[in-house]
Amino acid sequence: MRAIIPVAGHGTRLEPHTLTLQKCLLPVAGKPVLEHILDRITNAGITDVTLITGHLGEQVVEFCTSYPDANFTFVEQKERLGLGHAIYQGLDSVKDPLLIVLGDSIFELDYNRFLSCPNSTIGVAPVPDPKRFGIVELTEDRISNVWEKPDNPPSNLALIGIYYISSQLELSMGIEHLIKHDIRTKNEYQLTDAFQVMIDKGHIFNAFEIDECLDCGIPETLLSTNKTLLTRMEGNSVHDSAVITNSQIKNCTISENCLIKNSQLENVIVLRGGEVINQKIKNTIVGFDEIFNLAQTEELEL
């Protein structure tokens, strides 16, 4: 089986960090988000991976050259016409199954069980505010409708970004239907709309409630994911080239060539070359080569 991971987006909500680094390569718990995703799917036996690239796509290609457990192909999405359009770039016109995983979240679930489902299956999770999400409507054990941010949600089960598709060909035909008839939502060809086309033509979709979705799409959730994963690891992630002196750190990811001196850090991600001196900071992303330095005549008491 093959997987498609779309990583073409600009990551505007994570600027300025994503102006110089593709958002899927931002680190949480010491590894790029993309690496966490790849670790989970390759552990489930998927080694053929297609990445849909765009913004800073050359960085994704370079990263993948050092990832040993998968065979990669890369397709550039030259026009930003929506997620459905992005996925369409990587599809083959064959009846083989496919895994789709969005590149800005880390999903915890039984991948082997998910990938052995007999029908196409959408990963879902209950949410408190379903009007803000794509929502599935169930009839018995099947998905009968997929709604994009409905005013009157029929359920609280949200699409969270992982999909098992039993036939690439049928998904390809569903997206082609959108393009042929210029069916867009928010001026984009949406994957959810293609699913609805497939459902209307008799394709069977089931729902699979996942264990956890660790979002990495905005600073707050990137930091909360970092904390969650490091808490499970019971430690910090510190690059060998980082220097830490007279400091206390908790649930921190410290990247290469960083300096932490006379400081207290809790749930902080320090990107390459960042410096934190004479600081007490919490729940913060320190940018590339950014210097947090509080001039003091006396050192902080740690």
Side-chain angles (χ1 to χ4, degrees):
M1 189 184 305
R2 188 164 62 92
I4 292 180
I5 306 175
V7 290
H10 281 260
T12 53
R13 294 179 297 176
L14 283 160
E15 290 181 354
H17 315 300
T18 50
L19 294 175
T20 52
L21 185 69
Q22 221 300 321
K23 67 175 181 177
C24 71
L25 299 179
L26 285 169
V28 289
K31 295 194 293 188
V33 173
L34 179 59
E35 187 170 351
H36 286 281
I37 296 170
L38 291 171
D39 287 348
R40 283 157 176 77
I41 67 173
T42 55
N43 284 340
I46 293 182
T47 56
D48 292 324
V49 180
T50 298
L51 291 148
I52 311 301
T53 63
H55 175 62
L56 299 175
E58 68 282 357
Q59 295 180 354
V60 176
V61 175
E62 182 180 0
F63 165 78
C64 289
T65 61
S66 64
Y67 191 85
D69 299 323
N71 305 308
F72 296 100
T73 55
F74 305 93
V75 179
E76 182 182 2
Q77 185 188 21
K78 296 181 179 180
E79 297 181 272
R80 302 295 187 267
L81 297 177
L83 179 59
H85 176 265
I87 297 301
Y88 183 68
Q89 309 304 301
L91 292 174
D92 294 326
S93 294
V94 295
K95 295 182 179 180
D96 296 346
L98 176 76
L99 175 68
I100 300 171
V101 187
L102 302 193
D104 57 3
S105 294
I106 300 166
F107 303 104
E108 305 290 15
L109 67 151
D110 185 338
Y111 279 85
N112 289 311
R113 188 161 70 92
F114 185 73
L115 295 172
S116 63
C117 291
N119 303 313
S120 290
T121 304
I122 296 176
V124 299
V127 294
D129 48 352
K131 290 183 179 180
R132 296 182 52 243
F133 295 87
I135 297 295
V136 300
E137 181 180 0
L138 298 178
T139 300
E140 296 180 349
D141 63 340
R142 294 187 183 183
I143 296 174
S144 52
N145 289 289
V146 182
W147 304 91
E148 185 64 32
K149 299 180 180 178
D151 292 331
N152 298 296
S155 79
N156 68 339
L157 291 177
L159 293 77
I160 45 74
I162 184 166
Y163 316 92
Y164 168 75
I165 305 300
S166 62
S167 170
Q168 292 186 57
L169 177 61
E170 291 193 40
L171 176 57
S172 180
M173 292 169 62
I175 299 173
E176 287 171 358
H177 178 87
L178 301 182
I179 295 171
K180 179 180 178 180
H181 298 279
D182 198 28
I183 299 172
R184 307 188 190 208
T185 300
K186 296 185 177 178
N187 203 36
E188 293 183 336
Y189 299 114
Q190 301 289 352
L191 193 59
T192 50
D193 291 336
F195 292 160
Q196 189 62 55
V197 170
M198 295 167 70
I199 290 169
D200 292 343
K201 292 181 179 295
H203 191 88
I204 298 174
F205 278 90
N206 296 127
F208 186 105
E209 191 167 329
I210 71 160
D211 298 324
E212 190 174 23
C213 174
L214 300 172
D215 181 65
C216 302
I218 61 175
E220 292 80 6
T221 58
L222 188 77
L223 286 162
S224 66
T225 293
N226 180 70
K227 181 178 180 179
T228 296
L229 293 175
L230 285 175
T231 298
R232 293 173 185 169
M233 294 166 55
E234 298 182 347
N236 302 285
S237 177
V238 180
H239 194 274
D240 291 342
S241 63
V243 176
I244 301 176
T245 60
N246 191 39
S247 297
Q248 295 176 351
I249 63 173
K250 180 180 179 181
N251 295 329
C252 291
T253 291
I254 312 297
S255 303
E256 61 267 37
N257 300 321
C258 292
L259 172 64
I260 313 299
K261 182 178 180 182
N262 189 37
S263 296
Q264 290 180 338
L265 281 64
E266 182 176 350
N267 192 28
V268 174
I269 298 173
V270 187
L271 302 180
R272 183 185 63 247
E275 296 184 8
V276 181
I277 303 171
N278 298 323
Q279 294 283 322
K280 291 183 179 181
I281 56 176
K282 183 178 181 180
N283 300 326
T284 302
I285 302 172
V286 178
F288 295 104
D289 300 317
E290 185 174 4
I291 299 176
F292 277 40
N293 188 351
L294 177 65
Q296 291 184 311
T297 56
E298 296 182 5
E299 292 188 342
L300 293 175
E301 293 185 5
L302 300 179

